[in-house]
Amino acid sequence: AAIRFLTTVTRSVRHDLFREPEVLSNICEKIVIPNIQLRKSDIYLFEDDPLGYIRKDIEGSDVETRRKAAYELVKGLRRHYEAEVTKIFSMHITNLLQQYSSNPSKLWKAKDAAIYLLIALAVMTKSEAKGVSKTNEAVPVIDFFKSAILPELQSDPNDIPIIKCD
């Protein structure tokens, strides 16, 4: 509920509360990233009911999840502070990927969070019928795909399958 409230404020006339880079960075670090990171309950759901996990977290079902709420907060912040949000959140994506690189088998959740955050940052317009139709031009989607996603898709399918799914 608190994240939805912040999202509502980002879309209101009071959006100027978020204009300072330090505020944006704190929101990313203390609100968005903790809420997009996988929790044990997410992993259990994926292991027990992979299709249920996909419906709940990826397909954009009607069920409100904390990950979806964090995604919407990023979109709300981008509405008025596109350049600032892109710059600050991109640094956090880089940090998450560096964490992952230091110990991939143990810190794979950092990569998953980086992927989810990049999607929230990159997707500008999407629809159920056509998928993503417009992306944030300042986000290097193709480069990210080549360096972070493609290697996962080409690796052993049983090696951290939730990353491949996300």
Side-chain angles (χ1 to χ4, degrees):
I3 296 175
R4 281 184 297 206
F5 173 74
L6 289 174
T7 302
T8 301
V9 175
T10 66
R11 296 176 177 159
S12 75
V13 295
R14 301 294 301 173
H15 66 81
D16 61 328
L17 295 169
F18 302 104
R19 78 171 155 253
E20 297 298 323
E22 186 177 330
V23 172
L24 292 170
S25 187
N26 283 331
I27 287 173
C28 184
E29 188 177 315
K30 294 180 170 94
I31 297 171
V32 174
I33 292 173
N35 283 289
I36 62 170
Q37 287 182 322
L38 290 170
R39 294 184 180 161
K40 286 184 181 183
S41 60
D42 299 317
I43 296 167
Y44 292 146
L45 176 61
F46 178 78
E47 291 170 348
D48 293 342
D49 183 13
L51 291 176
Y53 172 84
I54 291 168
R55 277 188 211 103
K56 178 182 173 192
D57 205 43
I58 297 173
E59 289 182 350
S61 71
D62 293 337
V63 177
E64 184 68 30
T65 66
R66 64 187 166 70
R67 290 182 101 189
K68 186 175 180 181
Y71 177 93
E72 292 299 323
L73 177 57
V74 173
K75 284 177 51 178
L77 290 168
R78 280 190 0 230
R79 178 177 284 185
H80 296 285
Y81 307 106
E82 182 82 39
E84 298 88 341
V85 168
T86 300
K87 179 181 176 187
I88 292 165
F89 284 37
S90 293
M91 289 187 301
H92 287 285
I93 291 168
T94 300
N95 291 340
L96 288 164
L97 291 173
Q98 287 172 347
Q99 288 175 28
Y100 166 77
S101 294
S102 70
N103 191 346
S105 62
K106 192 172 187 174
L107 299 174
W108 61 269
K109 290 180 196 174
K111 184 171 188 175
D112 184 82
I115 292 168
Y116 205 88
L117 184 55
L118 181 108
I119 292 167
L121 197 58
V123 174
M124 301 285 287
T125 309
K126 70 176 182 173
S127 70
E128 291 288 322
K130 296 181 182 180
V132 175
S133 56
K134 184 177 179 187
T135 60
N136 180 340
E137 293 179 11
V139 177
V141 175
I142 300 299
D143 292 340
F144 186 85
F145 175 79
K146 288 177 183 176
S147 66
I149 308 288
L150 189 58
E152 290 296 333
L153 297 175
Q154 293 174 331
S155 69
D156 181 354
N158 297 314
D159 187 29
I160 315 171
I162 198 166
I163 288 183
K164 292 164 182 55
C165 181
D166 276 354

